Amino acid sequence: RSELCLFVGYPKETKGFIFYTPEDDKTFGSTSARFLEEDFMKDVKPRSKIVLEEKLGEEASTSSVRTVLTPTETQPNSSESRQVVLRRSGRAVQQPDRYMSYGDSLVAVSDMDDPVSYSQAMACSESNLWLDAMKVEMHSMYVNKVWKLVDLPEGIKPVGCKWIYKKKRGPDGNVETFKARLVAKGYTQQEGIDYEETFSPVAMLKSIRILLSIAAALDYEIWQMDVKTAFLNGNLDERIYMAQPDGFVDKGQETKVCELLKSIYGLKQASRSWNIRFDETVKSFGFEQSIDEPCVYKLIHEGKVVFLVLYVDDILLIGNDVGKLSEVKVWLAKQFDMKDLGEAAYILGIQIFRDRKNRTLSLSQASYIDKVMDRFSMQDSKKGQTPFRHGVSLSKDQSPKTAQEIEDMR
């Protein structure tokens, strides 16, 4: 099911690559690709020469034209030119509602039976549960005063919105809650009009592992909190209009749109707006931001140590004094709508096992791996003690020979 195409560049604002297929004369973005530089391309003799012209600024909004030189049958040493119009890709890169960082990649695994649209959610057997989840989300919108209904100004095209559905599962894999998130279709936003800066940091996984190691060795407390509807706390500098959500259009005001007063999930600047708001708030309490890790904060007072780790809307509180940690927790609950999860047991899809008596801590991604295997119908595949890339042959020639090689292998 793969497609042979040419790599032509990188998309703005999203991960992945841009490819072009000469046969269909189309360009599209994708995050999944295998680059055939050695085992395939060296044997390919192209029948045509393709010239791609980069368009900058205002020219980028118009169709790009390139010349393709095709050899003729009667004159093999000459060629004739023809004009080919480069069409914009119709594909949109969809950001997952929740994702986790593993190494340098972003991965998201959702349940295959989660609805993908409002109509599908209302037609399934669990429609009542999804409807309740949507009502909870809309209540958050009203409480946080995210928008107000106004008449659409002339010449303005509103940003669309849609519902994202996800079953939240616990460490054992069982469904704990039904989550419905209203997100804006941020891919329709125009840079310079609807948004400016978009970058927002998250804590690196290795930073979390380091702090967990410190907590295990020094017997620190490890508490976890979750910010409810975190992105709704961000402030907007731009004026953005959004269509009313499916299923919750106000009667008698069907022609009106939502003027956003706060950021909302899906907006390109939403994550940045939330991060700026959180950063300003925690610093006002006395936390100091790590220079090398902007999502790790520390508070040290009279021998009492508190580390605060932020990953989008997940918060880890690590410290040596229960009273000080409780004080921070109460203060955070006053600043934002928080959910107290108690001692950390499940963070970013990783299960935490702790033996405080022996001061050890273990991390497990068993449930995540099971979900991946189930998604690709590999739950009954043959298991091995040492996972390894298929097709690699090992031999005695690869064994260490010198004393240094033996030491390195050991």
Side-chain angles (χ1 to χ4, degrees), residues 205-215:
L205 185 59
K206 62 182 179 182
S207 300
I208 297 175
R209 292 171 64 93
I210 290 171
L211 288 171
L212 290 178
S213 299
I214 294 173

Side-chain angles (χ1 to χ4, degrees), residues 146-198:
V146 177
W147 67 64
K148 64 179 180 180
L149 292 179
V150 298
D151 293 320
L152 182 64
E154 186 176 353
I156 299 295
K157 184 177 180 180
V159 174
C161 63
K162 67 173 295 184
W163 289 100
I164 300 293
Y165 304 96
K166 183 179 177 65
K167 294 176 182 175
K168 304 285 282 187
R169 297 180 180 272
D172 55 1
N174 294 326
V175 178
E176 292 184 344
T177 57
F178 285 73
K179 187 93 170 184
R181 178 79 73 201
L182 180 65
V183 302
K185 295 180 179 180
Y187 55 83
T188 63
Q189 290 181 265
Q190 298 182 41
E191 186 175 6
I193 299 177
D194 298 318
Y195 68 96
E196 295 290 344
E197 298 291 334
T198 62

Side-chain angles (χ1 to χ4, degrees), residues 24-40:
D24 301 327
D25 188 32
K26 69 177 182 179
T27 59
F28 62 92
S30 176
T31 58
S32 177
R34 178 186 173 195
F35 289 85
L36 307 172
E37 296 179 353
E38 298 296 333
D39 56 349
F40 182 83

Side-chain angles (χ1 to χ4, degrees), residues 366-367 369-374 377-388:
S367 60
I369 294 172
D370 289 340
K371 187 180 292 185
V372 173
M373 299 294 285
D374 183 65
S377 301
M378 295 179 63
Q379 62 269 34
D380 298 324
S381 59
K382 185 178 179 180
K383 300 178 181 179
Q385 293 298 324
T386 308
F388 203 71

Side-chain angles (χ1 to χ4, degrees), residues 269-321:
Q269 68 268 51
S271 180
R272 178 178 177 83
S273 299
W274 152 244
N275 186 266
I276 292 174
R277 167 80 189 282
F278 184 85
D279 179 74
E280 294 173 347
T281 303
V282 295
K283 286 180 178 178
S284 68
F285 188 77
F287 276 97
E288 296 181 9
Q289 187 179 35
S290 172
I291 297 176
D292 299 314
E293 175 58 284
C295 286
V296 173
Y297 301 84
K298 67 178 180 180
L299 177 64
I300 302 176
H301 180 68
E302 296 179 351
K304 300 175 182 179
V305 180
V306 178
F307 290 105
L308 187 153
V309 186
L310 175 69
Y311 193 99
V312 187
D313 56 1
D314 286 320
I315 294 177
L316 279 181
L317 291 176
I318 302 173
N320 62 353
D321 186 82

Side-chain angles (χ1 to χ4, degrees), residues 43-292:
D43 298 324
V44 172
K45 297 180 177 57
R47 299 178 58 187
S48 61
K49 180 181 179 181
I50 300 173
V51 180
L52 300 174
E53 297 179 0
E54 182 178 9
K55 298 297 182 181
L56 302 175
E58 295 181 357
E59 293 180 334
S61 61
T62 62
S63 296
S64 301
V65 178
R66 67 178 173 277
T67 301
V68 180
L69 302 178
T70 307
T72 62
E73 295 180 359
T74 56
Q75 296 176 316
N77 295 325
S78 64
S79 61
E80 64 181 43
S81 64
R82 60 187 177 90
Q83 298 295 310
V84 181
V85 178
L86 175 61
R87 298 188 299 270
R88 274 183 173 271
S89 169
R91 297 190 184 184
V93 180
Q94 185 182 43
Q95 292 287 357
D97 176 46
R98 285 286 295 169
Y99 57 84
M100 60 168 286
S101 174
Y102 188 77
D104 294 326
S105 62
L106 291 174
V107 290
V109 178
S110 300
D111 290 304
M112 299 299 288
D113 59 344
D114 285 350
V116 296
S117 65
Y118 173 78
S119 57
Q120 187 175 337
M122 292 298 93
C124 71
S125 59
E126 300 168 320
S127 59
N128 290 336
L129 296 172
W130 291 123
L131 183 59
D132 291 340
M134 286 187 286
K135 290 179 179 178
V136 171
E137 177 76 352
M138 291 300 294
H139 177 71
S140 297
M141 299 291 174
Y142 294 132
V143 170
N144 288 278
K145 299 179 180 178
V146 177
W147 67 64
K148 64 179 180 180
L149 292 179
V150 298
D151 293 320
L152 182 64
E154 186 176 353
I156 299 295
K157 184 177 180 180
V159 174
C161 63
K162 67 173 295 184
W163 289 100
I164 300 293
Y165 304 96
K166 183 179 177 65
K167 294 176 182 175
K168 304 285 282 187
R169 297 180 180 272
D172 55 1
N174 294 326
V175 178
E176 292 184 344
T177 57
F178 285 73
K179 187 93 170 184
R181 178 79 73 201
L182 180 65
V183 302
K185 295 180 179 180
Y187 55 83
T188 63
Q189 290 181 265
Q190 298 182 41
E191 186 175 6
I193 299 177
D194 298 318
Y195 68 96
E196 295 290 344
E197 298 291 334
T198 62
F199 174 76
S200 175
V202 295
M204 292 184 288
L205 185 59
K206 62 182 179 182
S207 300
I208 297 175
R209 292 171 64 93
I210 290 171
L211 288 171
L212 290 178
S213 299
I214 294 173
L218 302 179
D219 196 31
Y220 281 9
E221 302 293 331
I222 309 174
W223 294 355
Q224 185 178 3
M225 300 186 76
D226 180 78
V227 186
K228 298 180 182 178
T229 56
F231 284 10
L232 305 186
N233 292 284
N235 298 316
L236 286 177
D237 296 325
E238 304 82 10
R239 179 165 292 182
I240 301 177
Y241 300 93
M242 184 186 76
Q244 295 189 55
D246 290 337
F248 294 88
V249 177
D250 281 19
K251 293 182 178 180
Q253 303 189 77
E254 292 83 357
T255 60
K256 292 191 175 183
V257 296
C258 306
E259 180 183 347
L260 296 181
L261 307 176
K262 299 278 188 72
S263 64
I264 187 175
Y265 287 86
L267 291 181
K268 289 185 178 294
Q269 68 268 51
S271 180
R272 178 178 177 83
S273 299
W274 152 244
N275 186 266
I276 292 174
R277 167 80 189 282
F278 184 85
D279 179 74
E280 294 173 347
T281 303
V282 295
K283 286 180 178 178
S284 68
F285 188 77
F287 276 97
E288 296 181 9
Q289 187 179 35
S290 172
I291 297 176
D292 299 314

